Amino acid sequence: LDGSIVPFHHSEDYIKQQCAARGEPVNFGRFGRKVSSELRVATWQNIRECILDIFNTQLMRGHAGVITLSNVKRLFRFNYNLELSETALGHARLHDVLQDERLGQLCAVRCLDGRQVLVHCEDGTRPDATRSVDATRRDAHIR
């Protein structure tokens, strides 16, 4: 967990896969720091509500319906006092949580300007993965 090369069954990826299979949060964060146990773990309903609130807040401020994936967990912690634990939801990666069918047609993960972003699907349909960045920007109303 300190960045050194280890057999897979001792790796962070393996631990995350095992926790995901059991639906348990992992007890370490990036670079081995302990994840806060003071926060409640987000449920699927919490995730839907919070993502909608984030997008609505952005729209009220005149911003596009796009969230950088690297900010999603931070927004949940600081704005909603919730820990977004992908393994507690049965996934090893945040990307997979946000693409899960339980979120319906709320959002989609896309690559935009070399960054992974969460795009709001205003019309209830996920953008096609093969669409161009320009089409995704237009659909997300990026200015």
Side-chain angles (χ1 to χ4, degrees):
L1 300 178
D2 62 2
S4 57
I5 297 175
V6 297
F8 181 70
H9 64 278
H10 291 292
S11 70
E12 187 173 317
D13 285 343
Y14 178 79
I15 293 168
K16 287 179 80 173
Q17 286 179 3
Q18 296 303 305
C19 288
R22 292 188 304 265
E24 299 173 350
V26 292
N27 65 355
F28 61 85
R30 196 167 182 197
F31 309 115
R33 72 177 189 275
K34 184 103 168 143
V35 172
S36 172
S37 60
E38 298 171 12
L39 300 178
R40 233 174 10 116
V41 175
T43 64
W44 286 108
Q45 183 64 34
N46 295 142
I47 294 169
R48 284 189 65 78
E49 292 169 359
C50 294
I51 288 174
L52 277 172
D53 187 59
I54 293 166
F55 284 136
N56 287 334
T57 300
Q58 284 185 330
L59 290 173
M60 288 182 349
R61 293 179 179 162
H63 299 292
V66 174
I67 308 166
T68 306
L69 239 56
S70 60
N71 286 325
V72 172
K73 284 187 167 193
R74 181 186 57 80
L75 290 169
F76 271 73
R77 282 186 203 110
F78 292 109
N79 294 349
Y80 307 104
N81 292 316
L82 291 170
E83 186 68 44
L84 180 51
S85 169
E86 58 269 26
T87 57
L89 297 163
H91 292 285
R93 299 179 325 149
L94 179 61
H95 178 278
D96 297 330
V97 168
L98 298 171
Q99 291 290 97
D100 192 285
E101 65 186 29
R102 286 170 273 202
L103 292 182
Q105 302 299 313
L106 174 65
C107 55
V109 177
R110 296 290 172 257
C111 186
L112 188 62
D113 295 333
R115 298 176 299 157
Q116 293 233 316
V117 296
L118 192 61
V119 179
H120 185 212
C121 301
E122 292 181 38
D123 63 357
T125 58
R126 289 188 178 186
D128 184 345
T130 61
R131 295 183 71 182
S132 70
V133 170
D134 289 336
T136 302
R137 283 178 198 248
R138 194 170 46 255
D139 290 348
H141 303 292
I142 296 174
R143 298 177 191 153

